[in-house]
Amino acid sequence: MPHHTPLIMTLVSAFVLAYVAGMIAQRLRIPPIVGYLVAGIVVGPFTPGIVADQALAPELSEIGVILLMFGVGLHFSLADLLSVKAIALPGAATQIAIATLLGMLLAWAMGWSLGAGIVLGIALSTASTVVLLRSLEERNLLETQRGRIAIGWLIVEDLAMVLALVLLPALAGLLGGTAHGDANVYLTLAITLAKVAAFVASMLIVGRRAIPWLLERTAATGSRELFTLAVLALALGVAYVAAMLFGVSFALGAFFAGMVLNESKLSHQAAQDSLPFRDAFAVLFFVSVGMLFDPSILVREPLPVLGVVAIVLVGKSIGAFAIVRAFGRPTEVALTISTSLAQIGEFSFILAGLGIELGLLPKDGRDLILAGAILSICANPLLFAALDRWFARRDAATAAAMPVEPDPPPGPPMPDRDHVILVGFGRVGSLVGQRLHEAGVALALIEPDPDAAELARKQGIPSLVGNAAAVDKLAAVHVADARALVVAIPQVLEAGQIIRHAREANPRIAVLARAHSDEEMAYLLGAGADAAVMGEREIARSMCESVDSLTRWFERGANAPNTPPMARDAGPGDDTPA
């Protein structure tokens, strides 16, 4: 048996320690992200004990970034991206300029060169893709106007960082670093912009047709395994080609792959299939950040660390808030954008490494950037939690049901008392919803897929788009005054979380859930469900009843009707998402 297995050792140590540290963080009521970062520090080279492979971990974490941006692209259309260009383009450019100036000022105070200040400032100006998207996803903001602005802002930052990475070597000699050949700055810039334009054009002209066609042909085979493989191959393959041939980032390539697939009816299924891989590899991103961090910098350079953190948490946030407000957007939009950008991540580390390689940035600069990343990533969930509490207090003080979006969702009004809440409107949920609605039962639906929610609205069922595991979504459908909750989604862990939140808000609510095994039934009942229906058991019972009916029909012989009795519809018993 081979003993030199760095890949397996890195994955095992990262996942096991991230799980343990994440569970401890959850018990201590702090964000699990903090636990993942601590796990990275434990397996890093600056602490005793296990040392994971420092080259492999960042590459594996990049897979999480690719799948995360691919998933975002699946919920984003070209029209969505263009709708926020008026604020995202100038907003991101101005915010990058503000952060760069603040970084140059801090570098000057530490006695560094102009080139070091520019590299430090640019590195502090770009937000982490993973942190920003996780924060928006947890609050179901990705498909809101705030989410679209944040994603558009992030795309502009990614493009700016691509330009910075190709221009820094050409400008290194002028900035006091090591000259990198005789590269012409204008020629380098023109080639880079031409490559980006060529990539975008190829995705809109060729990819827009080829990618959905390929996925539809794969789905036609009926193999779930091949479909999942196709999703991963498209996400990773397009991202790799984008980086190798066109010089854009992996994240940007994956985003465009998802965006061109958005127009396909299979986009929701693609998002569901890639979700487990996305979450697992996204955790590796935080572990890899922790591995790079040298905790001694906090003791060696406390004041510079404080200065870096102040730029990221305060300087960038104030700048972004002022920019968004200057464009006439509401305060809640400005606060959400500024909070989501109050951290730094993957591009910052790449820029720092390039700056050291070109002789522009001292080695302490990379340690300061990593310290700023660690502390800002830890602080970001806390800032969002504080923002959520502020929104709740403001709404309570004004006693107004202010909608999250500028316009209320279309369709029938949401019932507010003695109604049934339905979670999920897929193959099972849609049947349940239709029958309850036809029976005249007051019904409120929570469904993550906008297309499914729109279909329910057309049928007269009040619907809310979002994840029912979020407390604010349950509150929006008046769970405290509801009569019953029907959880028709197949994801048992998410269902358990929904049930617990509903029980906390309304201990008297009747809860019915969907399961696929005895273990799942036990879990759901333990989470607080009054009853759980197992699809396979219902199908078996229906088939037995149908056999009995058919037997009696044959026994009656010629006196029986010409057509045998139809088996009743017991509903699907497979794992198709509801």
Side-chain angles (χ1 to χ4, degrees):
M1 177 180 176
H3 296 284
H4 184 65
T5 53
L7 175 60
I8 295 176
M9 192 273 286
T10 300
L11 286 173
V12 170
S13 59
F15 282 135
V16 170
L17 287 174
Y19 166 71
V20 172
M23 285 294 291
I24 294 173
Q26 189 78 19
R27 286 299 183 103
L28 296 176
R29 297 186 180 278
I30 57 178
I33 287 175
V34 177
Y36 306 152
L37 292 168
V38 171
I41 295 173
V42 171
V43 296
F46 303 103
T47 53
I50 299 173
V51 178
D53 193 304
Q54 282 188 285
L56 281 174
E59 287 194 40
L60 291 171
S61 70
E62 195 70 53
I63 297 176
V65 177
I66 290 170
L67 294 177
L68 202 60
M69 284 300 284
F70 178 72
V72 172
L74 288 172
H75 297 289
F76 234 75
S77 67
L78 183 61
D80 292 332
L81 193 60
L82 294 176
S83 69
V84 297
K85 69 179 186 301
I87 183 173
L89 278 169
T94 306
Q95 184 247 315
I96 290 172
I98 291 172
T100 302
L101 289 173
L102 291 173
M104 291 171 63
L105 184 62
L106 177 62
W108 173 79
M110 293 187 293
W112 291 1
S113 66
L114 174 63
I118 291 175
V119 173
L120 177 65
I122 296 175
L124 300 183
S125 69
T126 177
S128 165
T129 300
V130 178
V131 178
L132 187 148
L133 295 182
R134 282 175 69 100
S135 298
L136 294 179
E137 276 187 332
E138 287 172 1
R139 290 157 182 82
N140 299 292
L141 294 176
L142 278 179
E143 296 179 37
T144 66
Q145 187 66 13
R146 283 178 279 175
R148 293 189 186 101
I149 293 173
I151 299 302
W153 202 297
L154 189 67
I155 296 300
V156 176
E157 284 191 350
D158 270 12
L159 289 171
M161 293 308 109
V162 169
L163 292 177
L165 289 172
V166 298
L167 289 178
L168 270 180
L171 295 171
L174 297 175
L175 296 175
T178 305
H180 197 270
D182 300 321
N184 184 292
V185 175
Y186 299 106
L187 180 60
T188 302
L189 179 60
I191 292 174
T192 303
L193 292 176
K195 284 184 176 181
V196 171
F199 168 70
V200 174
S202 64
M203 290 303 295
L204 295 180
I205 297 171
V206 180
R208 207 170 186 175
R209 294 171 175 81
I211 291 177
W213 178 86
L214 182 62
L215 208 59
E216 286 167 10
R217 291 297 177 276
T218 307
T221 65
S223 171
R224 188 184 186 93
E225 173 181 300
L226 281 175
F227 185 83
T228 302
L229 189 60
V231 171
L232 294 176
L234 286 171
L236 299 173
V238 172
Y240 184 79
V241 170
M244 296 300 106
L245 294 185
F246 298 98
V248 303
S249 66
F250 288 123
L252 195 60
F255 174 79
F256 270 92
M259 193 173 69
V260 298
L261 187 56
N262 170 268
E263 299 174 8
S264 169
K265 295 179 180 179
L266 296 170
S267 61
H268 183 64
Q269 186 64 42
Q272 290 288 337
D273 282 7
S274 63
L275 185 62
F277 300 97
R278 189 177 71 190
D279 289 345
F281 282 100
V283 168
L284 286 179
F285 165 77
F286 297 105
V287 175
S288 68
V289 172
M291 287 173 60
L292 297 172
F293 179 56
D294 181 3
S296 67
I297 190 69
L298 301 175
V299 179
R300 290 188 284 110
E301 303 284 355
L303 291 180
V305 168
L306 188 61
V308 166
V309 173
I311 290 173
V312 175
L313 296 184
V314 181
K316 283 177 63 178
S317 297
I318 292 176
F321 179 86
I323 293 165
V324 176
R325 290 293 291 146
F327 277 88
R329 303 287 178 163
T331 300
E332 58 264 29
V333 174
L335 286 172
T336 301
I337 299 301
S338 59
T339 304
S340 65
L341 296 171
Q343 37 78 21
I344 57 175
E346 49 272 23
F347 265 119
S348 304
F349 316 141
I350 297 172
L351 280 166
L354 180 62
I356 292 173
E357 181 185 331
L358 297 174
L360 293 171
L361 187 71
K363 291 186 178 180
D364 276 353
R366 178 169 56 188
D367 292 337
L368 288 176
I369 291 169
L370 285 166
I374 289 279
L375 296 176
S376 65
I377 289 172
C378 288
N380 196 255
L382 303 178
L383 293 176
F384 261 111
L387 184 61
D388 292 339
R389 288 194 295 270
W390 184 84
F391 282 148
R393 285 197 301 269
R394 183 199 61 177
D395 292 345
T398 57
M402 183 177 294
V404 176
E405 290 297 293
D407 299 315
M414 193 71 67
D416 58 3
R417 185 172 296 277
D418 199 30
H419 57 291
V420 175
I421 298 172
L422 173 63
V423 177
F425 202 70
R427 292 178 62 189
V428 174
S430 60
L431 293 173
V432 174
Q434 289 165 13
R435 294 185 182 183
L436 290 177
H437 182 63
E438 289 169 359
V441 176
L443 194 63
L445 169 69
I446 305 178
E447 164 60 47
D449 182 13
D451 294 333
E454 181 60 27
L455 177 63
R457 291 191 193 106
K458 290 178 179 177
Q459 296 175 8
I461 301 173
S463 306
L464 180 69
V465 177
N467 185 351
V471 176
D472 61 326
K473 295 300 179 185
L474 287 172
V477 295
H478 309 288
V479 67
D481 298 309
R483 179 175 56 176
L485 170 70
V486 179
V487 185
I489 59 174
Q491 293 85 5
V492 66
L493 295 178
E494 186 177 330
Q497 190 177 7
I498 294 167
I499 293 167
R500 281 189 287 269
H501 289 329
R503 280 277 179 231
E504 290 173 3
N506 184 354
R508 300 181 305 278
I509 193 170
V511 179
L512 176 65
R514 170 188 175 188
H516 287 288
S517 67
D518 292 331
E519 291 77 12
E520 289 188 3
M521 289 185 71
Y523 170 78
L524 293 169
L525 294 174
D530 295 300
V533 177
M534 190 163 74
E536 289 79 359
R537 186 170 293 167
E538 291 301 308
I539 290 175
R541 185 171 65 182
S542 176
M543 292 179 73
C544 290
E545 292 176 359
S546 298
V547 168
D548 186 55
S549 299
L550 285 169
T551 301
R552 288 197 300 269
W553 179 78
F554 280 114
E555 287 175 351
R556 288 197 298 269
N559 296 324
N562 292 330
T563 305
M566 297 296 294
R568 67 182 179 88
D569 182 10
D574 58 16
D575 291 323
T576 303

